[in-house]
Amino acid sequence: MESNATSATSKPVQGRTISMSASLAYFALSIVVNSMGNVLTLVTSSHIHPQFLGSAYWTAAENNLGYAVLGKGNSMALFWAFMILGMLTSVLNAILMHKWDWHRIFGNFLFMLPFSIFIQWFSNIFNRIMPDAHSLPMIILYVLINFLGVTFIGVAISIYQRVNLVLHPADDLFQILRFRYFKGNATLAMWASYIPPTIMALAAIPAMGLANFGLGTIFALLFQGGITGLADKLIFPKLKHQALDLGN
């Protein structure tokens, strides 16, 4: 599965064809869906023993490096991990764009603040209400919920990338790669965007091993980019990519 940048539903537009109120509504929906999807992959992974399921790739890498550096007992580890590593990714984006855009970087920050808060909030909720899975039916249910979480992430990425109001730095990276380097191909761009979290995961191995990497991670690696491209066509199909700025 892939997204074609020249298709009627995903062709970028230079300006904005939707109002600011509509943009904000799409953005609010997508950031909640994305943070919930990320947490569903983490919680289902951690509540199956032994852990074989895993979470989405970026999520696993940032979670592991955050706990490796800040410690598992830190109640705000997820917030700080997602915030700091996200802003470091925005620096990489500036390098790929060949320009330092304070407006874009500030937009990344405006995304990361509520996103990191929602990540911590949903994590606290789902860790309380979702018990450990011991029976086969519960394990199968958690696998399906994990895959649903990955799907939520892919759909949310599709929505707020098309809105292009402010972006998560990792998704901004994905969009830069997709349209500047991979001619609109969502699947290839997603795979290339996994290079930074791979480095994060390797750095966390001495403390965390391969925690949160597993079946769900493989599912995300194979299908999340394709889900994003498919969501461009099926979820709010009249919403086109707005006001793309891919540098010189």
Side-chain angles (χ1 to χ4, degrees):
M1 293 184 294
E2 66 182 37
S3 174
N4 187 340
T6 61
S7 70
T9 57
S10 63
K11 184 178 180 180
V13 294
Q14 296 301 312
R16 290 198 171 273
T17 59
I18 60 175
S19 67
M20 181 55 67
S21 60
S23 297
L24 290 172
Y26 281 126
F27 173 74
L29 172 64
S30 63
I31 198 170
V32 171
V33 171
N34 190 26
S35 54
M36 182 182 295
N38 274 281
V39 171
L40 284 176
T41 66
L42 278 175
V43 173
T44 52
S45 174
S46 64
H47 285 221
I48 294 178
H49 305 285
Q51 292 185 17
F52 72 89
L53 190 50
S55 59
Y57 201 73
W58 273 92
T59 311
E62 291 179 316
N63 176 86
N64 286 6
L65 188 56
Y67 280 123
V69 174
L70 300 174
K72 293 183 179 180
N74 191 321
S75 62
M76 294 296 291
L78 286 181
F79 171 83
W80 287 114
F82 278 75
M83 174 64 75
I84 294 172
L85 294 173
M87 294 313 298
L88 288 176
T89 304
S90 71
V91 175
L92 173 62
N93 294 343
I95 295 171
L96 292 173
M97 289 278 291
H98 303 160
K99 66 178 181 179
W100 190 263
D101 187 344
W102 284 109
H103 181 269
R104 191 167 191 149
I105 292 173
F106 185 63
N108 290 158
F109 173 78
L110 289 179
F111 184 104
M112 288 306 304
L113 184 58
F115 176 71
S116 300
I117 291 172
F118 274 126
I119 286 286
Q120 191 69 62
W121 185 63
F122 279 125
S123 178
N124 293 340
I125 291 174
F126 288 130
N127 273 310
R128 284 199 304 267
I129 66 175
M130 295 178 68
D132 286 353
H134 298 291
S135 66
L136 181 59
M138 281 290 288
I139 292 173
I140 293 174
L141 176 63
Y142 277 23
V143 170
L144 294 177
I145 292 174
N146 186 284
F147 290 177
L148 178 64
V150 172
T151 302
F152 280 176
I153 296 169
V155 169
I157 290 171
S158 167
I159 296 171
Y160 58 65
Q161 280 189 344
R162 282 179 284 160
V163 172
N164 199 27
L165 197 59
V166 293
L167 295 174
H168 187 295
D171 299 325
D172 203 5
L173 170 64
F174 169 81
Q175 182 151 282
I176 292 167
L177 291 169
R178 180 179 180 182
F179 290 107
R180 184 181 174 96
Y181 296 95
F182 291 104
K183 299 179 180 180
N185 189 305
T187 301
L188 292 179
M190 182 64 72
W191 288 343
S193 73
Y194 285 145
I195 295 174
T198 298
I199 296 172
M200 296 177 194
L202 291 174
I205 282 180
M208 297 293 293
L210 293 176
N212 294 305
F213 287 93
L215 180 62
T217 314
I218 295 172
F219 180 81
L221 277 168
L222 293 176
F223 299 113
Q224 186 174 306
I227 290 169
T228 297
L230 190 60
D232 285 353
K233 302 174 183 179
L234 300 180
I235 308 298
F236 306 124
K238 294 183 180 179
L239 177 62
K240 295 179 172 62
H241 288 86
Q242 304 287 303
L244 282 181
D245 177 12
L246 303 176
N248 299 320

